Amino acid sequence: MNHVKRAFKYRFYPTEAQATELSRTFGCVRKVYNLALAARSEAWTLRQEQVTYNQTSAMLTGWKRTEELAFLREVSSVPLQQTLRHVQTAFTHFFAKRAKYPRFKTRKKSRKSAEYSRSGFRFRDGRLTLAKMTEPLDIVWSRPLPEGAQPSTVSVSQDAAGRWFVSMLCDDPTIGPLPTADAAVGIDVGLIHLLTLSSGEKVANPRHERRDRGRLARAQRELSRKAKGEGTNRAKARRKVAKIHARIADRRRDLLHKLTTRLVRENQTLVIEDLTVRNLVKNHMLARAISDASWSEFRSMLEYKAAWYGREVIVVDRFFPSSKLCSNCGSLRQEMPLSVRTWTCDCGTTHDRDVNAARNLLAAGLAVSVCGAGVRPQRSSPGGQSATKQKTPRREP
């Protein structure tokens, strides 16, 4: 039986020596990534040659022998090899048109992380020791690993707030298809209510960012008054801003995990709308609220949890007029401004805008599921043809 690979993330508190070693490793990982990206870009631009992972691995050996890059020999070679694999993966996604061209990493903005494969760490009796270290990491075990689990890879990272995290990828035998449920639900996401279900239930939007907006504004003003550069006071002020952002993100992620887990456990089929968030946030009147709602993260969680537990997620095309369609008689209204929250159809049915949209999404998703057509357009081409559309849309340039 093939078990699901699952990452278990924990916070840990390194010693001063461990923090120094990991910070040095992060810098070397960033340097190797940039060198490999530059080498591959130059080879293609000047000579139209494609550089492979094996070639960049040979280059890494040469870089270590130079006087300028001799510091690369001071850290474990495992994270450096892993970052070359990450460069290879980035180019694979680029050529498959799943991502943009890889970008160079910067010391201030890029994520500080390093990945260790099995040869770069030792995990015994619940104690994790990384290469080049003599003591195990002081990990806060907020939840146990699966019984008998052995990590295949370990990723260490530090966020902008200064917190250290270790993520262990393990086989999780506890994940498997849940008993079949008879329920199906349509889900309409929004700003006034985060979720509206076809059953009529509404989940309030907690607006996590708005709750801390005053504290965040004050911290950012304090940061702006600090002298530019690498001063200690500016670093403290920057970390204070990052802690507020981390608090907001943690609360948002926690709520989304609880909501998606409950929906997946209770329903066999879940129908959502394919929203192009990257276009919606171009509306500067709503961009902050849309980003705070985190619709894309909600969809991602829903999809991977449904795959874990044997559920089905149906994505209805964004051009489907779920809000303007009467869920009772099927008549279509020509106009439906956002300010209209309730409306009465000619058939006499009074609709709540969001509940009606959720019911229409459920009906459309179930109809397509029965006929076997696909209504799950790829994110790379959100205007793709869908069984719920009556005409082919004009693709965006």
Side-chain angles (χ1 to χ4, degrees), residues 163-235:
R163 303 178 300 178
W164 295 85
F165 295 95
V166 57
S167 179
M168 290 175 274
L169 187 65
C170 308
D171 287 330
D172 191 352
T174 63
I175 294 179
L178 294 172
T180 303
D182 296 329
V185 66
I187 306 170
D188 181 65
V189 297
L191 296 178
I192 298 177
H193 294 92
L194 182 62
L195 301 178
T196 302
L197 308 184
S198 54
S199 61
E201 178 186 352
K202 293 186 176 183
V203 178
N205 185 359
R207 302 181 186 272
H208 299 291
E209 186 271 341
R210 178 180 290 183
R211 288 172 55 187
D212 279 347
R213 187 174 297 175
R215 293 178 57 202
L216 182 60
R218 287 192 296 271
Q220 288 174 327
R221 283 197 296 268
E222 291 177 8
L223 174 61
S224 68
R225 289 194 291 265
K226 304 302 179 184
K228 305 295 183 182
E230 301 296 326
T232 303
N233 289 337
R234 185 171 181 83

Side-chain angles (χ1 to χ4, degrees), residues 293-312:
S294 196
W295 295 336
S296 295
E297 189 170 7
F298 168 77
R299 173 175 171 175
S300 297
M301 289 183 181
L302 203 66
E303 288 179 336
Y304 79 70
K305 290 180 182 180
W308 279 0
Y309 298 113
R311 303 310 200 198
E312 181 183 17

Side-chain angles (χ1 to χ4, degrees), residues 75-94:
V75 301
S76 171
S77 63
V78 176
L80 305 185
Q81 291 291 339
Q82 289 297 100
T83 199
L84 295 180
R85 293 186 175 91
H86 294 165
V87 176
Q88 178 65 39
T89 301
F91 274 97
T92 300
H93 290 324
F94 168 72

Side-chain angles (χ1 to χ4, degrees), residues 18-30:
Q18 289 173 340
T20 301
E21 176 64 27
L22 289 173
S23 297
R24 185 185 299 116
T25 302
F26 294 159
C28 291
V29 164
R30 182 176 62 249

Side-chain angles (χ1 to χ4, degrees), residues 109-271:
K109 294 185 178 181
S110 298
R111 180 170 178 262
K112 299 177 181 179
S113 65
E115 185 177 278
Y116 295 80
S117 61
R118 291 295 292 269
S119 60
F121 65 88
R122 182 175 67 252
F123 185 74
R124 293 177 184 172
D125 302 324
R127 296 165 68 87
L128 177 67
T129 306
L130 301 178
K132 298 285 186 176
M133 295 184 186
T134 57
E135 299 179 7
L137 300 181
D138 181 15
I139 299 175
V140 180
W141 296 100
S142 53
R143 55 176 173 169
L145 288 175
E147 186 176 356
Q150 286 294 326
S152 57
T153 60
V154 169
S155 297
V156 182
S157 61
Q158 184 186 26
D159 66 6
R163 303 178 300 178
W164 295 85
F165 295 95
V166 57
S167 179
M168 290 175 274
L169 187 65
C170 308
D171 287 330
D172 191 352
T174 63
I175 294 179
L178 294 172
T180 303
D182 296 329
V185 66
I187 306 170
D188 181 65
V189 297
L191 296 178
I192 298 177
H193 294 92
L194 182 62
L195 301 178
T196 302
L197 308 184
S198 54
S199 61
E201 178 186 352
K202 293 186 176 183
V203 178
N205 185 359
R207 302 181 186 272
H208 299 291
E209 186 271 341
R210 178 180 290 183
R211 288 172 55 187
D212 279 347
R213 187 174 297 175
R215 293 178 57 202
L216 182 60
R218 287 192 296 271
Q220 288 174 327
R221 283 197 296 268
E222 291 177 8
L223 174 61
S224 68
R225 289 194 291 265
K226 304 302 179 184
K228 305 295 183 182
E230 301 296 326
T232 303
N233 289 337
R234 185 171 181 83
K236 290 181 180 179
R238 187 187 299 116
R239 192 175 296 112
K240 184 176 181 180
V241 172
K243 286 182 178 180
I244 299 174
H245 278 297
R247 173 184 169 87
I248 295 171
D250 288 345
R251 288 203 307 256
R252 181 188 299 124
R253 192 179 304 111
D254 179 67
L255 175 65
L256 291 179
H257 271 300
K258 291 175 180 177
L259 287 176
T260 52
T261 298
R262 178 172 72 89
L263 290 171
V264 167
R265 285 177 176 172
E266 294 176 353
N267 301 279
Q268 183 67 33
T269 303
L270 305 101
V271 185

